[in-house]
Amino acid sequence: MRKAMGRVAVAAGVVLLVAGCGSDGGSDKGGSAATTGGSASAGSAGGAEAGGEDLTADAVKTEIETAATGAGFVQDATGDPVPAGLETCMVSWTADAEKAADPKKSYTDTVGALGKGGWKTGRTFSQSGSTIQTLTKGTWQLKASDHSMGMLKMVMFIASDTTPECEALFKADLEKNKKS
């Protein structure tokens, strides 16, 4: 129970950081490859303009899963699911960091494998032993987060499609949840 509550708290923080992590904060190690979020980064031509690829949520999930499992992670079946209605615009993959021999190394290796797979490295944000790395490919933006330094061992990969259609779905979901 305690582990689950901690995960929810960290996941909520990551979601807030993902939602608010635009052009401010963090360090820009990616130079001009770093994105600033929003529909301007996606471009009106979609994947062709932003990275030459039209990726589906299933393809993004497969790339994350392949990189993460190749780096020594197994998926945590208790990870947060993608909200209903956003399945084509968002991917969430949570590693069971407690089962990894070295979660920090597995995280670094996963990010490296994604980079070799065409994901462009953008901003990195590090604070209090946690690291969040932004990567982009096509119209997709991925937040790879490592919170494995303390007692709570958690590694998550959350990707979202930045097309105007998906942004409209995200906004509608946010508005719906504000009313709940």
Side-chain angles (χ1 to χ4, degrees), residues 29 36 42 44 60 63 81 105 108 115 117 119 131 140 144 156 175 179:
K29 293 184 180 182
T36 57
S44 59
V60 170
E63 289 187 24
K105 181 179 182 328
T108 301
W119 287 85
T131 301
W140 286 82
M156 296 172 40
E175 290 299 319
K179 294 176 184 177

Side-chain angles (χ1 to χ4, degrees), residues 15-170:
V15 169
L16 289 174
L17 184 58
V18 168
C21 197
S23 59
D24 299 329
S27 63
D28 185 358
K29 293 184 180 182
S32 62
T35 64
T36 57
S39 60
S41 67
S44 59
E49 182 179 315
E53 297 182 44
D54 284 327
L55 293 171
T56 64
D58 287 338
V60 170
K61 183 177 181 176
T62 298
E63 289 187 24
I64 293 169
E65 188 166 47
T66 299
T69 57
F73 283 128
V74 295
Q75 187 169 13
D76 184 346
T78 64
D80 292 329
V82 172
L86 298 177
E87 296 89 351
T88 61
C89 297
M90 184 177 183
V91 171
S92 177
W93 199 94
T94 303
D96 189 338
E98 293 179 5
K99 289 184 180 175
D102 183 349
K104 192 76 163 165
K105 181 179 182 328
S106 292
Y107 169 81
T108 301
D109 290 351
T110 300
V111 171
L114 289 166
K116 289 177 184 172
W119 287 85
K120 291 182 174 57
T121 304
R123 300 185 185 282
T124 299
F125 175 81
S126 294
Q127 183 177 5
S128 303
S130 292
T131 301
I132 299 174
Q133 176 72 53
T134 302
L135 299 105
T136 58
K137 185 174 185 180
T139 60
W140 286 82
Q141 184 177 71
L142 170 64
K143 299 291 185 180
S145 59
D146 172 26
H147 312 281
S148 63
M149 293 297 290
M151 288 178 24
L152 176 67
K153 306 268 186 246
M154 187 166 159
V155 177
M156 296 172 40
F157 302 90
I158 300 174
S160 57
D161 193 341
T162 61
T163 59
E165 297 82 11
C166 283
E167 286 185 356
L169 289 173
F170 288 126

